[in-house]
Amino acid sequence: MRALRTLLIVVVVLGGLFVLADRLAVHFAEGEAAHKLRSSENLAATPDVSIKGFPFLTQLAGGSLDEVEVGIEDYRADTGTNGGTVRIDDLDAVMKGVEFSGDHSSATADSASGTASIGYAELLKAARTGPRQIGPATAEVIGLSDGGNGKIKVKVKVSALGLERTAYVLSSVTAEDDTVRVHADTLPDFGGLRFAESQVRSVTDFEQRIERLPGGIKLDKVEAEPDGVRITVKGSHVRLAG
């Protein structure tokens, strides 16, 4: 009986030491991955990296991880024009099936999915190219806000004959080919002023291209929310580090 008790104690102690070693190893690996990701993506701050699954050491020995979560608070994506960037907030991605290179210097995920957001003030920059001439008037988008039911409320100012008018229009927002597009559902009412649809849409409709997201993930869907647009991202063979 004493021998059995001693064996059980040894097993418990060894199990505890293994768990401790496993947690220390995963914590170290998360830190290393975060620093490599910051360097490879030229991030302003170190991202959050969380390696899921237990035990970590057996996954590492097998050369792959079941799941890795990555969180980036502030990411500057390219717009594809004149070196411009667009600020993306709270980019969170889940990487599945992460495999390492032979020397563990790089890692690639079989698939990835996640979400991010772009504030209305940031998206407004894509629309505010200055007043545009439409017939005898000038018009420009001066504000964006949540319109409810997944729509964006676009605020447009029109100046004509020394008078200014403000109109609002609900717009749909979609994502396609690495581009967020805002398209007015109906044309705004400018208090009796009439303009050609193509002229009005040259002001109300606009787009924001988003390129070079981390690891090569791509835009999938977009929807308007109270503080901005929420985008869904996805990808395959996504580079996590290296």
Side-chain angles (χ1 to χ4, degrees):
M1 184 64 69
R2 176 178 295 179
L4 179 59
R5 185 183 299 115
T6 301
L7 178 60
L8 290 175
I9 292 174
V10 171
V11 170
V12 170
V13 170
L14 290 178
L17 290 174
F18 175 78
V19 171
L20 177 61
D22 191 82
R23 293 303 88 192
L24 288 174
V26 76
H27 180 72
F28 175 79
E30 289 170 344
E32 287 295 302
H35 287 296
K36 285 186 177 180
L37 185 58
R38 178 178 181 177
S39 177
S40 64
E41 297 294 342
N42 195 28
L43 303 178
T46 303
D48 292 327
V49 175
S50 179
I51 299 174
K52 303 300 180 180
F54 179 82
F56 164 70
L57 291 174
T58 56
Q59 294 184 73
L60 184 64
S64 65
L65 303 176
D66 295 335
E67 180 177 308
V68 177
E69 294 182 359
V70 177
I72 303 174
E73 290 187 1
D74 180 1
Y75 184 79
R76 293 281 176 176
D78 291 346
T79 61
T81 56
N82 301 322
T85 62
V86 57
R87 184 177 188 270
I88 297 179
D89 303 312
D90 304 322
L91 174 58
D92 297 310
V94 177
M95 313 287 187
K96 301 279 190 178
V98 178
E99 296 189 357
F100 300 99
S101 60
D103 58 0
H104 294 89
S105 62
S106 64
T108 303
D110 181 62
S111 64
S113 61
T115 60
S117 61
I118 302 175
Y120 284 124
E122 191 71 13
L123 187 61
L124 180 61
K125 295 176 183 178
R128 298 189 69 172
T129 56
R132 295 190 180 187
Q133 196 73 32
I134 54 172
T138 59
E140 64 178 318
V141 174
I142 60 174
L144 300 176
S145 59
D146 180 30
N149 297 317
K151 304 291 185 179
I152 294 178
K153 182 188 287 186
V154 180
K155 184 179 182 180
V156 184
K157 182 180 73 174
V158 175
S159 302
L161 304 176
L163 300 176
E164 289 188 354
R165 295 176 173 84
T166 301
Y168 295 88
V169 60
L170 289 179
S171 299
S172 299
V173 56
T174 57
E176 184 180 3
D177 298 330
D178 293 330
T179 303
V180 174
R181 292 187 170 89
V182 178
H183 180 83
D185 293 346
T186 58
L187 297 184
D189 180 4
F190 293 124
L193 294 177
R194 295 289 183 266
F195 306 103
E197 179 175 350
S198 61
Q199 290 180 316
V200 177
R201 289 197 178 278
S202 70
V203 178
T204 60
D205 296 5
F206 59 93
E207 61 185 39
Q208 176 65 73
R209 189 157 183 82
I210 300 174
E211 298 181 342
R212 294 189 63 226
L213 289 173
I217 54 178
K218 302 290 185 180
L219 297 185
D220 184 29
K221 299 177 182 178
V222 62
E223 184 176 6
E225 292 193 341
D227 298 324
V229 294
R230 171 71 62 175
I231 59 177
T232 302
V233 297
K234 68 177 182 179
S236 57
H237 304 295
V238 175
R239 176 174 46 81
L240 179 61

